[in-house]
Amino acid sequence: MAVHDHSHRHPGFRFPFLRKLGTAPVSVDGTTAAATATGAYVLAGLRLLTGFVFLWAFFDKMFGFGYATQPGKGWIDGGSPTKGFLSGVAAGPMESTFHDWAGAGWANWLFMLGLLGVGLALIAGIGLRPAAVAGTAMMALMWIAEWPPAKHLSDGSVSMSTNPFIDYHLIYAVVLVALAVAGAGATWGLGRIWARLPFVNRNRWLR
């Protein structure tokens, strides 16, 4: 009986036809690892881009760079980050409530701290779970303020809504939740270091 030594074989499925093409054999395990690494980089990039969206909104409303907030009307100049948007709400079940909140000191502080906190968390890759909760709450309130289901505003004019449910606020909320669930702070971020801190390790909701 002949005994064959198979110790030279490597684990993982190989593609024989690649030998005929003169190409190095590809392992399914290696392909999966490469796809996982690529996915981590894609999520990290998405995290940084989303973080910049929040941080830019904060700085523009703080200093009035001339984009959404005109020069001289920033929060630092005495302007209100919430008055223009909330006072302009013209549809939805919370229309009058948002009008009452417009320009209120507590509303300004919560809104600006939310933008700054979520933005910094995403850029640094830390605290993605609380950032997702805070950011989703902000996006939900802004979705209600714009109220996409309405075809007409309270004055009877056309709302110009293009979709009765999905808008960019919901997309941002889903992105925030996905980044937190995927632990996207470990790549191009401080997620691993943050997770090893004793108080974070004891309170996993802070990750």
Side-chain angles (χ1 to χ4, degrees):
M1 177 184 295
V3 178
H4 299 282
D5 182 9
H6 299 287
S7 61
H8 64 282
R9 295 187 178 180
H10 300 283
F13 182 76
R14 307 283 182 168
F15 296 92
F17 67 88
L18 293 177
R19 299 178 183 275
K20 299 179 181 179
L21 298 176
T23 307
V26 178
S27 169
V28 170
D29 293 339
T31 302
T32 302
T36 301
T38 300
Y41 290 127
V42 170
L43 287 175
L46 180 61
R47 190 196 83 233
L48 293 172
L49 290 173
T50 307
F52 182 74
V53 169
F54 280 84
L55 274 187
W56 177 260
F58 169 82
F59 285 114
D60 185 56
K61 293 180 183 301
M62 172 64 79
F63 300 106
F65 289 147
Y67 289 85
T69 306
Q70 295 303 307
K73 294 185 178 181
W75 197 23
I76 198 172
D77 300 310
S80 171
T82 62
K83 187 173 183 179
F85 177 70
L86 293 182
S87 62
V89 174
M94 294 182 64
E95 180 180 350
S96 60
T97 301
F98 285 132
H99 290 171
D100 293 337
W101 292 357
W106 64 267
N108 291 336
W109 275 97
L110 283 179
F111 181 59
M112 293 296 279
L113 287 176
L115 290 177
L116 179 62
V118 174
L120 289 177
L122 291 173
I123 293 295
I126 62 175
L128 296 185
R129 293 179 182 179
V133 173
T136 298
M138 291 177 62
M139 294 300 103
L141 286 172
M142 295 176 76
W143 184 89
I144 295 173
E146 295 199 357
W147 200 244
K151 293 182 180 180
H152 296 85
L153 303 179
S154 55
D155 62 1
S157 61
V158 179
S159 68
M160 304 301 291
S161 175
T162 59
N163 190 300
F165 183 68
I166 303 297
D167 77 341
Y168 64 97
H169 296 109
L170 291 185
I171 301 300
Y172 280 136
V174 171
V175 168
L176 289 171
V177 173
L179 293 174
V181 171
T187 302
W188 295 342
L190 303 175
R192 287 193 177 91
I193 297 175
W194 175 259
R196 288 198 294 266
L197 295 177
F199 71 96
V200 176
N201 196 29
R202 289 193 302 269
N203 302 277
R204 295 179 177 273
W205 62 271
L206 291 172
R207 292 188 175 183

